[in-house]
Amino acid sequence: MNLDFNQIVPSIPFIMGGIWVTLKFVSVSLIIGLILGTFLAVLKIGKVKVLIILSDIYTSIFRGTPLILQLSIIYFATPQLIDYNISAYEAGVLTFGLNSAAYISEIIRAGIQAVDKGQKEAAEALGIPYNQMMLKIILPQAFRNILPALFNEFITLTKESAIVSVIGVMDILRRSQVVASNTFAYFEPLLIAGVIYYVLVMALTLLGKLLERRLKRSD
């Protein structure tokens, strides 16, 4: 086995520079997924049959097809379909945001349905409009219940974000691949990327557990 980390050491800061790119990418994607997922969740528990069906179709498509396929379609097909030369970063954020929305919508829907029905009945008895009831009464309680699940989604997105390296986004994995191609040493930079991802995910997991414990103490 011929391993030489000495030639890789100078490139470690370059690889670690991808941490910020990854976290920024995942954060923006999660915000998009959270906004769209909340909207889809509200539609799913609504009373308009057509909107329920459309939201369910959306969820089934993005949960039932490979993420890398969705990424490839958005990145490579967008210029052909709407004559817009989308950047790799835009395509990645859009894909991950749309994909995450499908999963987040189910998380939020479950959170809304877990809220005591008496809350809704009391709001209706007081004549509070449906939109205000959802925004000021139901959703705040639902989000409190699903924060740990949303944090787990953030962790999942962080791991899966490595997929965007295939379209050239300079994240952790892509930077390690650049170093590998420049040094002709492939195992070492990939191993370093793996360690960075592992430490990052473990740190986020720890934060998620601390958040969950804090929420339990405040109950």
Side-chain angles (χ1 to χ4, degrees):
M1 184 178 293
N2 185 20
L3 298 178
D4 182 11
F5 284 91
N6 290 328
Q7 63 177 332
I8 305 299
V9 170
S11 300
I12 290 179
F14 173 73
I15 298 175
M16 293 187 67
I19 295 175
W20 166 246
V21 177
T22 297
L23 290 178
K24 180 182 176 182
F25 171 84
V26 172
S27 298
V28 175
S29 299
L30 187 64
I31 291 172
I32 294 174
L34 187 59
I35 294 172
L36 182 56
T38 301
F39 178 71
L40 289 170
V42 173
L43 293 183
K44 289 179 180 182
I45 64 171
K47 298 180 180 180
V48 182
K49 192 67 175 179
V50 174
L51 295 179
I52 295 175
I53 293 174
L54 290 176
S55 59
D56 284 340
I57 290 174
Y58 175 96
T59 301
S60 65
I61 290 174
F62 278 93
R63 294 181 65 178
T65 55
L67 181 57
I68 193 169
L69 173 63
Q70 299 165 18
L71 179 63
S72 299
I73 290 175
I74 291 178
Y75 182 61
F76 295 109
T78 296
Q80 177 185 351
L81 295 175
I82 62 174
D83 196 26
Y84 175 68
N85 189 23
I86 190 170
S87 70
Y89 183 82
E90 291 172 336
V93 166
L94 182 59
T95 302
F96 273 72
L98 294 175
N99 180 274
S100 181
Y103 291 90
I104 290 177
S105 67
E106 288 298 303
I107 294 173
I108 295 177
R109 179 189 61 79
I112 291 174
Q113 292 179 336
V115 175
D116 187 1
K117 292 182 179 180
Q119 300 282 334
K120 182 179 179 181
E121 294 172 353
E124 291 175 344
L126 293 172
I128 299 175
Y130 180 80
N131 292 339
Q132 292 186 22
M133 176 186 67
M134 290 301 300
L135 290 173
K136 297 181 179 181
I137 300 175
I138 305 299
L139 284 177
Q141 296 182 66
F143 274 109
R144 179 182 174 83
N145 295 332
I146 64 175
L147 271 179
L150 290 177
F151 209 89
N152 285 335
E153 176 66 13
F154 182 74
I155 293 172
T156 300
L157 284 179
T158 301
K159 292 186 293 184
E160 293 182 345
S161 67
I163 293 176
V164 298
S165 63
V166 302
I167 60 173
V169 176
M170 294 297 287
D171 67 335
I172 299 169
L173 180 58
R174 180 60 179 170
R175 287 169 183 251
S176 70
Q177 291 170 339
V178 170
V179 173
S181 63
N182 290 337
T183 60
F184 298 102
Y186 293 91
F187 177 76
E188 295 91 332
L190 290 176
L191 178 61
I192 291 171
V195 171
I196 293 174
Y197 275 114
Y198 179 78
V199 172
L200 194 58
V201 168
M202 289 301 100
L204 292 174
T205 301
L206 179 60
L207 286 175
K209 289 181 179 179
L210 291 175
L211 175 63
E212 190 171 357
R213 289 176 185 172
R214 193 166 201 177
L215 288 174
K216 287 182 179 179
R217 284 201 304 264
S218 61
D219 286 340

